[in-house]
Amino acid sequence: MTKITIVGSGIAGLATAISLHAAGFEGITVFEAEPHLRSLGLGLNILPNAVRELAELGLLDELQQRAIRTQELAMYNPHGNLVWREDRGLLAGYQWPQLSISRSRLVMALAAEVRRRLGDGAIVTDARLVGLHNEPGRTCGIFTDRDGSTRTVETDLLIGADGIHSVVRAAFYPAEGPPPTNGMTMYRGTAWGDKFLTGNSMAVLGDDRRRLVLYPIERDETAGKTLINWVAAFPERETDPSRQPAGGAAEMRKAILHQFGDWAPPGVDLTCLLEDTQHVQKYPMIDRDPIPRWTFDNVTLVGDAAHAMYPAGSNGATQAIIDARVLAWHLAAHSDVGDAFQAYEDERRPQMTELQKTNRSMGPERVITLAHERAPNGFDDVREVFSEEELAEISRNYAVTGKFDQDWVNSRPSLTVSQRHQPDLRRDTWSAE
Ligand SMILES: Cc1cc2nc3c(=O)[nH]c(=O)nc-3n(C[C@H](O)[C@H](O)[C@H](O)COP(=O)(O)OP(=O)(O)OC[C@H]3O[C@@H](n4cnc5c(N)ncnc54)[C@H](O)[C@@H]3O)c2cc1C
């Protein structure tokens, strides 16, 4: 049996484990550095291309019970003028919905599926990869736990799904250093509030520097309340010096209000939302430069370890799920692991490089920046500022770059591997040896 080691139990690592199992592989273990699986309840939007993959893995029904089906994206300038709105998910003609979901719920559902398919021992927590030996014919990961005990795991394949600070990636790019930042700081949280816009809308507000993103991730029908996920991003250097340091929750709320004042989509009171947010989290906005190779012999990268990008356009986790499925597809379709990894990388890396670059100019949210540059004082009618075609083109081009446009998602061949072909990828079958 092929022994497959996955480093990291985020969305990329867990989706890879499930996809590999669905493609017929068995000897899969996921090693996670943290003593427990992560349970941050902040939100994620998963686009229909990835929801299709989750559906084909049999997970859609369960996830839908825990998610909101996003039906609209609405973008505003700070004056409350609507710059662009579009239907999303099923309403936009996709055969699969777009899901707004709590990250912890998604991770826990994926982890439960890994354990159901592969057994409780398939996820090993408190196992941090600290070293990697990789040469043709021999790959070992060295893991430590909190007590400092070390174990060496010899494996046939190793997949780095260990996120933006990937140790696997660093083994091949030792001079890369920490992730670069664009100088923006993100503040994030969730709070119960009232429905806004359609009740299933994602709202993005901004000017040329700042962004405020809000969407619901859960509904309490009995109480008539919605759990709203929000992210506020602005240049760190613009934090009001009189209110420094913005370290505690109260200071962070003040810093956000100082920037965004009375900004909010119709139906949201930002001050109340911030007051009702128990935990505010603060992160620098970071990504990774595209790299020329993801694959080194029998090691490859998926998710943020391969292509971390700025969070514009709901693509990081979405694309991690696609990586998982494409990788499993090629491993099942090729009898040589080198060919399989190369086919995976050839398919995914150019697309992700393009998306990483596009996200550096904030992806589809670029229309907000353009709206500010063209009409800093706002407008009565968006047609004074843009033609309908120009706005539609920006949105469509981004979807095509990320390969999540309706035509492609609805019509492309499935990545589900039939049971017809299960190659043996053990080392002694590799042509590299
Ligand atoms: C503000 C914000 C909003 C976002 N919104 C969206 C969105 O709406 N839609 C979307 O698709 N994406 C979104 N993203 C991006 C998305 O969160 C990431 O792209 C995605 O979570 C990456 O998943 P991953 O599994 O590759 O990495 P991670 O989630 O970082 O998981 C990596 C895992 O590896 C573990 N690990 C790390 N190092 C080691 C080690 N040495 N040994 C063992 N284990 C290790 C970590 O503990 C972790 O569990 C957003 C990101 C941010 C910051």
Side-chain angles (χ1 to χ4, degrees), residues 139-387:
T139 296
C140 292
I142 300 154
F143 295 87
T144 58
D145 66 16
R146 276 171 304 172
D147 299 332
S149 305
T150 299
R151 82 165 98 168
T152 300
V153 175
E154 192 151 341
T155 183
D156 295 318
L157 310 184
L158 188 140
I159 298 165
D162 48 343
I164 194 166
H165 302 285
S166 171
V167 171
V168 179
R169 175 175 168 133
F172 301 103
Y173 294 92
E176 192 177 25
T181 175
N182 58 4
M184 301 274 278
T185 296
M186 292 179 291
Y187 297 83
R188 307 170 68 189
T190 56
W192 289 95
D194 295 324
K195 279 187 188 177
F196 64 93
L197 299 174
T198 64
N200 300 314
S201 297
M202 173 190 271
V204 185
L205 296 85
D207 55 18
D208 54 343
R209 312 180 314 288
R210 297 168 288 180
R211 289 290 182 275
L212 181 64
V213 180
L214 305 101
Y215 54 85
I217 54 172
E218 194 180 329
R219 199 119 54 220
D220 180 341
E221 300 292 358
T222 320
K225 292 285 177 189
T226 292
L227 187 61
I228 300 172
N229 181 79
W230 59 264
V231 183
F234 55 89
E236 178 65 16
R237 65 185 150 74
E238 291 185 20
T239 305
D240 180 359
S242 66
R243 296 192 163 123
Q244 289 268 33
E251 287 80 14
M252 289 195 272
R253 286 189 194 97
K254 273 190 206 151
I256 296 163
L257 281 176
H258 174 71
Q259 287 291 331
F260 295 98
D262 54 2
W263 290 26
V268 176
D269 180 329
L270 185 59
T271 309
C272 289
L273 192 69
L274 294 177
E275 274 167 11
D276 291 343
T277 301
Q278 281 194 330
H279 304 290
V280 181
Q281 307 212 357
K282 182 182 170 187
Y283 310 83
M285 196 183 283
I286 52 178
D287 72 352
R288 281 290 187 190
D289 290 326
I291 44 176
R293 267 177 83 181
W294 292 354
T295 297
F296 300 84
D297 299 315
N298 46 333
V299 178
T300 197
L301 303 171
V302 290
D304 276 9
H307 50 67
M309 59 189 79
Y310 290 145
S314 309
N315 260 303
T318 294
Q319 297 293 347
I321 294 165
I322 307 292
D323 288 346
R325 290 281 283 169
V326 173
L327 178 62
W329 167 264
H330 285 300
L331 279 170
H334 293 81
S335 54
D336 178 89
V337 74
D339 291 347
F341 277 2
Q342 199 55 53
Y344 156 70
E345 181 171 332
D346 288 348
E347 184 170 339
R348 296 295 295 155
R349 195 171 52 73
Q351 281 174 30
M352 292 304 96
T353 295
E354 213 41 51
L355 204 56
Q356 284 174 287
K357 289 181 185 163
T358 309
N359 274 24
R360 284 190 169 169
S361 51
M362 300 316 284
E365 296 172 20
R366 193 159 68 86
V367 297
I368 297 179
T369 312
L370 289 174
H372 180 84
E373 286 166 2
R374 294 179 192 181
N377 300 317
F379 48 79
D380 293 325
D381 185 331
V382 71
R383 284 170 297 188
E384 297 162 18
V385 183
F386 292 101
S387 69

Side-chain angles (χ1 to χ4, degrees), residues 47 70-73 86-92 94 98 313 404:
L47 300 177
T70 311
Q71 69 177 65
E72 178 189 51
L73 170 64
E86 64 185 17
D87 293 334
R88 302 292 284 203
L90 299 175
L91 214 56
Y94 289 95
Q98 175 171 332
F404 62 89

Side-chain angles (χ1 to χ4, degrees), residues 391-410:
L391 290 166
E393 179 96 348
I394 290 173
S395 169
R396 174 155 179 84
N397 284 347
Y398 184 68
V400 170
T401 303
K403 286 220 158 199
F404 62 89
D405 55 297
Q406 291 94 327
D407 293 345
W408 174 249
V409 175
N410 287 345

